[in-house]
Amino acid sequence: MLLENKVAVVYGASGAIGGAAARAFAREGARVFLAGRTQKTLDEVAHDIRAAGGTAEAAVVDALDETAVDAFTGAVASRAGGIDISFNVIGVQDVQKPLTEISLAEFLRPIELATRTQFLTTRAAVRHMIPRRTGVILLFGGGGPQTVPGLGGFKVALDAMESMRRQWACEAGPYGVRVVTLVTGGVPESIPASEPVKEAIAASIAESALLKRAATLQDVGDVAAFAASDLARSMTSATVNISCGAIVDH
């Protein structure tokens, strides 16, 4: 198994993307610690993992709270003997409107939330990875040169995360810690069923891709597991493009 005896922390683990990654990590042998804000949904993911023969524990953690993140990460490292993988996929509460129509607060919200939570969870994990001189930080979303109208501050938030990826990779690399971003053109399965134009969005994502299809949740989990494994040990400060060709020349 790709991640046998590894310890993985997933923030936002009750969401579609976080859950897919957590299940894949566990399937590949990792001991997975699930973090999120709702115990019930976290327990459902943990139950699925255990039912499939994996190992998972769940805890309510506010990934925007410095004290909570540090305490949770310290507890995991103490109990499990370290942290090998940290993946933060919490939502950033973005409001998608044209820039001429969006308020300052709406524009700044995803930028502030994304940079705050990614900094806190990455710093907490890296502090435990450095003494062991090994570890992987995964980010999700990606920036790049392409965009579309009406995203508000969301694309800016993704670009800020990419800048953080480069900085963390630079500073943590000498200690054997890798930092990698998974880039997608959108994952239709992650769109809430309540979204009235879900089918139209899914069709648009597929149409924009060179392969004329979109990444699935299983694709996300499989690639995340690979990127976190020793098979990808030469990859850092890099993006892994799983957009099916919706994003090119990244």
Side-chain angles (χ1 to χ4, degrees), residues 8-13 17-19 21-22 25 33 35-36 61-65 69 72-73 85-92 112-125 136-142 158 161 164 180-182 224:
V9 175
V10 181
Y11 297 90
I17 301 297
F25 292 161
F33 289 84
V61 182
D62 182 352
L64 294 164
D65 184 312
V69 169
F72 169 70
T73 309
I85 304 156
S86 181
F87 194 14
N88 181 345
V89 288
I90 76 164
V92 293
E112 293 174 342
L113 295 187
T115 53
R116 179 183 180 90
T117 187
Q118 294 294 339
F119 172 75
L120 290 177
T121 59
T122 300
R123 184 184 66 178
V136 181
I137 303 295
L138 294 180
L139 296 92
F140 182 83
L158 295 180
M161 287 168 56
M164 294 176 69
V180 177
T181 302
L182 272 61

Side-chain angles (χ1 to χ4, degrees), residues 26-173:
R27 185 190 68 233
E28 293 296 338
R31 180 179 178 184
V32 183
F33 289 84
L34 313 174
R37 302 185 70 173
T38 307
Q39 188 72 57
K40 181 178 182 295
T41 50
L42 289 170
D43 286 342
E44 290 171 357
V45 177
H47 177 270
D48 289 347
I49 289 173
R50 295 185 195 118
T55 302
E57 299 179 41
V60 174
V61 182
D62 182 352
L64 294 164
D65 184 312
E66 181 175 12
T67 300
V69 169
D70 287 344
F72 169 70
T73 309
V76 170
S78 177
R79 291 177 56 196
I83 295 174
D84 299 293
I85 304 156
S86 181
F87 194 14
N88 181 345
V89 288
I90 76 164
V92 293
Q93 302 175 28
D94 52 297
V95 176
Q96 300 195 3
K97 295 179 182 177
L99 294 178
T100 54
E101 300 174 13
I102 198 169
S103 71
L104 176 61
E106 290 171 331
F107 173 76
L108 290 176
R109 184 185 304 156
I111 302 168
E112 293 174 342
L113 295 187
T115 53
R116 179 183 180 90
T117 187
Q118 294 294 339
F119 172 75
L120 290 177
T121 59
T122 300
R123 184 184 66 178
V126 168
R127 283 173 170 172
H128 292 283
M129 293 172 174
I130 284 176
R132 301 172 66 228
R133 304 190 72 82
T134 184
V136 181
I137 303 295
L138 294 180
L139 296 92
F140 182 83
Q146 296 163 302
T147 189
V148 295
L151 295 182
F154 182 58
K155 177 63 166 56
V156 180
L158 295 180
D159 289 340
M161 287 168 56
E162 289 292 75
S163 180
M164 294 176 69
R165 182 254 300 166
R166 297 183 186 97
Q167 191 66 32
W168 276 114
C170 173
E171 297 192 18

